Amino acid sequence: MLMRTDPFRELDRLTQQLLHTPGTWSRPSAMPMDAYREGEEYVIALDLPGVPTDAIEIDVERNMLTVKAERRPVAKADDVQMELSERPLGVFSRQVVLADTLDTDHIKADYDAGVLTLRIPIAERAKPRKIAIGGGSAHKEISG
């Protein structure tokens, strides 16, 4: 029910990890993601540790889900000298094409312990249903 949009996205992510280049708004870094079905909904979990909720944007346009986030540097005093900086900063983004069978009008988002969790219900029209068979004559004669 979910489709990847860009096969080269993973190569970009690996290159950015090796080169330690921060993402920008024009070229954001990818964020790690898990996607799975749980009962009657799909769940997407994105790792965004250290990102405040006001720095996260979630948009849905037609069937394209876009999540963008920005991890900004922590303000430091003038007398602080950085010894080691491994946590990535910058802009992160992820786009996922959602199937027509998902109800994009009822997406729920929760953010806890640095993980953004999106829950997307399966649309009623996509669920299996029984069709009742009516009784009676299939054809009626029309007299004119």
Side-chain angles (χ1 to χ4, degrees):
M1 297 245 182
L2 304 173
M3 298 180 292
R4 291 186 179 232
T5 56
D6 184 0
F8 299 104
R9 185 82 170 184
E10 189 66 17
L11 286 173
D12 284 345
R13 187 183 68 79
L14 290 171
T15 302
Q16 286 178 350
Q17 280 182 340
L18 292 172
L19 300 176
H20 297 290
T21 57
T24 63
W25 283 104
S26 61
R27 190 166 178 85
S29 300
M31 60 187 83
M33 176 183 92
D34 289 337
Y36 53 92
R37 182 174 176 165
E38 185 177 273
E40 295 298 316
E41 61 188 7
Y42 270 85
V43 180
I44 297 174
L46 299 141
D47 285 348
L48 294 170
V51 177
T53 55
D54 64 344
I56 301 172
E57 294 178 10
I58 306 168
D59 296 308
V60 176
E61 185 175 336
R62 296 187 187 174
N63 288 1
M64 180 67 72
L65 171 73
T66 303
V67 178
K68 285 187 179 180
E70 183 176 12
R71 184 180 298 128
R72 300 173 186 110
V74 178
K76 298 176 189 71
D78 291 339
D79 62 342
V80 173
Q81 181 179 343
M82 183 62 78
E83 295 293 331
L84 180 65
S85 179
E86 292 182 347
R87 298 184 314 153
L89 301 174
V91 179
F92 301 86
S93 178
R94 196 68 188 247
Q95 287 189 316
V96 179
V97 177
L98 303 175
D100 290 333
T101 56
L102 298 177
D103 186 355
T104 58
D105 291 332
H106 295 95
I107 296 175
K108 295 178 192 163
D110 293 307
Y111 187 59
D112 184 38
V115 178
L116 176 66
T117 303
L118 305 172
R119 295 184 173 277
I120 310 163
I122 295 173
E124 287 298 320
R125 67 182 182 278
K127 294 179 183 176
R129 58 195 174 279
K130 300 266 186 212
I131 307 298
I133 301 172
S137 174
H139 299 288
K140 286 193 173 184
E141 291 186 21
I142 300 174
S143 57

